[in-house]
Structure formats: structure tokens, C-alpha cells
Amino acid sequence: MIPPIKSLEGNLGIRLFVGLFLFSILNGAEPADTNYLEEKVPKYRLPKLLKSDLKRAETVTEWYEKRRPELQTLLETHIYGKTPTRDLGPFQTRIIDIDPQALNGRATRKQISITIDDKLQLSIDLLVYLPNQAEEQVPCFMGLNFYGNQTVHADPKIRINPRWMAGKSEIGIKNNRATEATRGVYHERWQIERLIKRGYAVATAYCGDIDPDNYQHDFSDGIHPLFYRDNQSKPDPGEWGTIGAWAWGLSRILDYIIESESAINAKQVAVIGHSRLGKTALWAGAQDQRFGLVISNNSGCGGAALYRREFGERIHHMIKPVGYWFCGNHANFSHREQELPADQHMLLALVAPRPLYVASATEDQWADPKGEFLAALAASPVYELLGKTGLPSPQIPEPNTPVQGTIGYHLRNGAHAVTAYDWEQYLSFADRHFKR
Ligand code: GCU
């Protein structure tokens, strides 16, 4: 995930400095000012979710009509930016490949191209696997991937994504393009065979089809220009960044599924993402209430973790390398987390009353597992207001001991990753909520 240093502007010294900074953040050697001590977490007060502490005084109608939109506006204004409401669709879709005997006959593989804009050559390459043994409509896990659909399974028929991607030679990205060597490199993160066996469909697309995760970001090569006013050349400080664009893409994929994938139960689409794409899954699920279940895997700062704990990654750590994931206003709260008008319990509360799963990992302190847990706990009053259970544990559970109400949480032993263990929990959670 190291950016191509040669293309950074400036002299060699600056390039090396920026390169090292990015390298340290994106490869786990965190900046020296990172706090990992619980005793150094400041005393903080979360902004109120519900206007009254007596949550029963707040009616359900008030939540949906007033408070929910208010919270969404706060998150838009200060964190992710506003998603344009202009409807560019309907988009043309083209089935490029269909194989009813994929994965040794267990699944049907479909590859679909969703054209976003011909002139800008923007399209989403969607990969779908449907379980063949199903007798009725099936639920589906949907999420974006980091390096192209061909990374999620070794199936030789998956098209290799031809677009720019961030350099990662160890998985076979050469000159910012995917090679054959990338096939199946992230199969563990996706567990396609396991999902098919359990009767779930899977839909995935490369995040860079929507907006390339390019560290010299100027918003010129993704979907943002499609929404500019005359003479606008970059998003305004309150308009969406890259996470907003990725979340928009997830909603467009859901549009396609609703309209064209009759084998999938469109009310049972679980949106899932890991890390930056976990932040994205949460923002997509918060804005688009058609997603039936939302899963955040190790999403950390700007995802499920509470900003106010100032533990692990913080806003000022993000500005240089990846500030473009967020809106311009986000950077104003660098070193000022306590003044941020929103915090991430609000993001999680926007998923209510739909099932929400937040997962952390013990070695992923950069993402602040406890802050992820506490945000889920603090979102619970909204679930309760809406007649659901929220998170059924006031304490962070021991590692590998999931707690599951309508909000689920686990702290897996191990590193920043998506593993078979994580998927086992997501599957049992989805089975329960989708009543299978
Ligand atoms: C970096 C970044 C995190 C992000 C992660 C990822 O570590 O600091 O915020 O979640 O990359 O997406 O892999």
C-alpha cells in the first residue's frame, strides 16, 4: 500500500520524508505520538444521540423524522461530506460472463459491467457468485475489494481488473496494475466457498472502479467530476471524499441487485467491509437504509472507533496520507477531537434498527478495539428506542467471545485482517437475523 514515491512532487529529501511517513502509517509502524495507553485516554463526553436522557420521552417518529436526519447531517458536514443527490441513472448494465457450473458446479458466477459514464470511461465490474443448491431467493454479502475481483478467489475465469491500483509488489501488483499473480491472493478475506456452502450469494467490486485510492488525490480520476457544478474542479469542504464515493458505488450495486438479480433477496443484502472499506460499509449502511445488515471489520478511526478516545489512529495522522477519504472539514478537527460535533456512536446508530456487527482484533490497536466496542455500546439506546436489544454486554468481551444482540461485537485474537473466524461469526449473525 506504499504510494509510488517517484510521482510525489518535490526534491528527494521531501519525497523520502513523505514516503517514510506513508510507509510507517500504512505498514503498521505508527507515528511516535500514537497513544496506546488506556490511562492517557482523556475524560470525554460523547455528544448526545437522543435529545433527552430519558429515551422513552423520545418518540420513534421523532427519531425517524428529526433526530436521525440531524445526525446524518452532522456526519456529512464534519466527517464524510455530503453525497450529491443528483441521480445519474439508470445505468446501462452488461453481463460479460455467466457460468452456471462455477466452483465445481456449486455456484453460478456472473460478471457484470455497470457503465457509470462512457466519456470518463467509468464502469463498475461486478462479480457475483450465487449458490446453485438454493430453492428460494438467497441473502447476499456485498462489499468492495482493494485490488480487483480476481483477488477474492483463484477462479481463473474472473476478469483481471485493468485499472490503476496502489503499488503492492508482494501480491503481484506491477506498475500499478494487477497481474495474474494476484489471483486469489485475498481468498481468505472472502471465504467464497464457505459462503456458497452456507447458501449465501456474494457480490464484490474493486473500490478503484469508483474512485482510485490514489495518494496524490485530486479527485480527477473517479466519479467526483460527474457531480461538479460548472467550473468546479474539486469537492467543496463539505462535499464527499473518497469514502463517500465508495459508499455511493455500493448503493449503485444494490440498485442493480434490486432490479436485476432475482435470485437474491434484496431485503437481505449485508454490506461488509474491512479497514478503510469497513469505514465505507458503515457510511453506506448509515445512508442507504435498503441494506439489511451492516458489518464493520476492523474499521478503526473514521469507522467504528470513537474519535474522542484519541487512542491509536487520530485525525491528524490521516490528513497527509489519506485526508481525501473524508471531506475537507474533517481536517479542521485535527487535535480537536473533543470539539467534533459528531462521533461514531452516531454513525452506528444510523444503522438501527437493522442488525449491525462490529469486529475488532487484539493486535489491531491502531484501530482502537475498545473504542469500536464503546461506540457500539453507545449506539444501543437507539436500538432500544426502536424495540431492539442493542449490544448485550456493558463490558468489552474477552477475545474470541462474541456477544450478539441486534448489535454484535467480537474481539478476535490476532492481527488486522478478515479471517475464517470473523466470517463464522458474521454467518451465524446473518443466519439468526435473516431467520435461516
Ligand atoms: C491505514 C489507515 C487506516 C485504514 C487502513 C486500511 O492503516 O491508517 O485508517 O483503516 O490503512 O484501510 O488498510
Side-chain angles (χ1 to χ4, degrees):
M1 247 170 265
I2 315 164
I5 296 172
K6 69 174 170 11
S7 58
L8 290 170
E9 283 178 18
N11 64 30
L12 185 65
I14 294 174
R15 280 192 223 155
L16 279 175
F17 174 79
V18 176
L20 269 173
F21 184 77
L22 293 170
F23 180 85
S24 65
I25 288 193
L26 298 168
N27 290 277
E30 292 89 12
D33 73 342
T34 312
N35 175 43
Y36 288 129
L37 295 174
E38 211 44 58
E39 57 269 29
K40 285 206 179 148
V41 170
K43 275 216 159 63
Y44 62 86
R45 190 184 289 199
L46 290 179
K48 282 193 174 155
L49 264 190
L50 299 169
K51 272 173 290 160
S52 160
D53 281 335
L54 298 167
K55 55 183 181 292
R56 262 177 217 113
E58 189 129 6
T59 68
V60 170
T61 318
E62 254 177 36
W63 164 256
Y64 282 114
E65 289 180 4
K66 224 161 157 267
R67 192 58 182 151
R68 191 182 191 286
E70 276 169 11
L71 296 188
Q72 186 166 330
T73 303
L74 287 176
L75 292 157
E76 274 170 8
T77 311
H78 305 291
I79 301 177
Y80 304 104
K82 198 166 172 46
T83 303
T85 45
R86 180 147 38 114
D87 184 6
L88 301 178
F91 298 117
Q92 209 192 327
T93 58
R94 201 160 39 94
I95 296 180
I96 295 173
D97 156 63
I98 179 160
D99 177 2
Q101 291 304 319
L103 309 182
N104 296 323
R106 287 191 296 273
T108 297
R109 183 192 61 245
K110 288 174 88 172
Q111 299 187 77
I112 303 110
S113 173
I114 306 173
T115 303
I116 305 295
D117 189 84
D118 264 334
K119 224 161 74 209
L120 296 183
Q121 295 189 319
L122 289 169
S123 57
I124 299 174
D125 260 359
L126 181 65
L127 170 67
V128 178
Y129 282 106
L130 301 161
N132 281 344
Q133 89 275 26
E135 275 154 25
E136 44 190 45
Q137 284 192 314
V138 294
C140 175
F141 286 97
M142 181 209 288
L144 298 176
N145 61 66
F146 287 71
Y147 290 98
N149 298 342
Q150 80 287 346
T151 61
V152 310
H153 193 281
D155 183 342
K157 294 283 176 45
I158 303 176
R159 272 166 48 114
I160 297 210
N161 191 292
R163 292 183 190 274
W164 181 95
M165 40 193 81
K168 193 163 184 154
S169 53
E170 63 273 33
I171 64 156
I173 309 293
K174 296 246 163 65
N175 301 321
N176 298 108
R177 303 281 167 207
T179 65
E180 276 291 332
T182 60
R183 278 196 189 285
V185 284
Y186 286 128
H187 69 276
E188 177 155 12
R189 276 191 187 178
W190 287 88
Q191 304 279 326
I192 306 276
E193 315 260 351
R194 182 189 297 256
L195 302 187
I196 291 296
K197 212 159 156 197
R198 293 279 290 262
Y200 284 79
V202 193
T204 185
Y206 168 49
C207 63
D209 283 357
I210 304 154
D211 193 21
D213 198 3
N214 177 342
Y215 300 103
Q216 291 87 50
H217 221 77
D218 60 5
F219 297 104
S220 62
D221 45 6
I223 59 168
H224 293 85
L226 294 173
F227 298 88
Y228 288 160
R229 304 178 299 271
D230 286 349
N231 301 321
Q232 188 181 2
S233 59
K234 60 177 181 17
D236 294 339
E239 288 181 329
W240 58 349
T242 292
I243 289 176
W246 289 338
W248 177 92
L250 284 165
S251 287
R252 301 296 72 79
I253 296 171
L254 184 56
D255 292 343
Y256 164 78
I257 284 179
I258 290 171
E259 276 152 34
S260 310
E261 282 304 339
S262 55
I264 294 176
N265 179 345
K267 292 204 164 62
Q268 296 190 338
V269 176
V271 61
I272 180 166
H274 171 57
S275 210
R276 69 199 66 180
L277 298 177
K279 308 181 207 302
T280 305
L282 287 171
W283 185 227
Q287 293 178 98
D288 189 338
Q289 296 181 66
R290 299 172 305 169
F291 286 110
L293 192 150
V294 179
I295 302 172
S296 151
N297 192 92
N298 306 179
S299 61
C301 186
L306 292 174
Y307 284 100
R308 277 171 171 69
R309 278 176 41 84
E310 302 182 8
F311 186 104
E313 184 172 32
R314 293 181 55 189
I315 296 173
H316 67 277
H317 297 139
M318 293 180 137
I319 294 176
K320 267 242 165 65
V322 292
Y324 61 87
W325 288 351
F326 303 89
C327 68
N329 291 338
H330 187 236
N332 297 341
F333 294 93
S334 168
H335 296 288
R336 290 176 50 217
E337 281 90 344
Q338 308 305 324
E339 295 164 54
L340 190 61
D343 212 320
Q344 299 306 75
H345 60 318
M346 294 178 167
L347 174 69
L348 304 187
L350 291 186
V351 177
R354 295 162 294 155
L356 162 72
Y357 204 109
V358 174
S360 314
T362 51
E363 290 163 25
D364 190 19
Q365 295 296 309
W366 179 240
D368 187 13
K370 188 167 177 193
E372 298 189 309
F373 169 80
L374 289 173
L377 188 62
S380 294
V382 173
Y383 277 80
E384 285 155 23
L385 173 73
L386 303 179
K388 304 286 179 180
T389 46
L391 192 58
S393 162
Q395 311 288 347
I396 187 163
E398 290 298 311
N400 288 9
T401 316
V403 284
Q404 297 189 7
T406 309
I407 304 181
Y409 177 86
H410 71 246
L411 173 64
R412 172 181 42 76
N413 268 321
H416 185 69
V418 198
T419 67
Y421 176 88
D422 295 318
W423 273 110
E424 267 310 309
Q425 316 320 312
Y426 303 152
L427 280 163
S428 68
F429 187 70
D431 276 356
R432 190 146 60 79
H433 289 288
F434 292 156
K435 302 208 173 20
R436 293 166 56 77

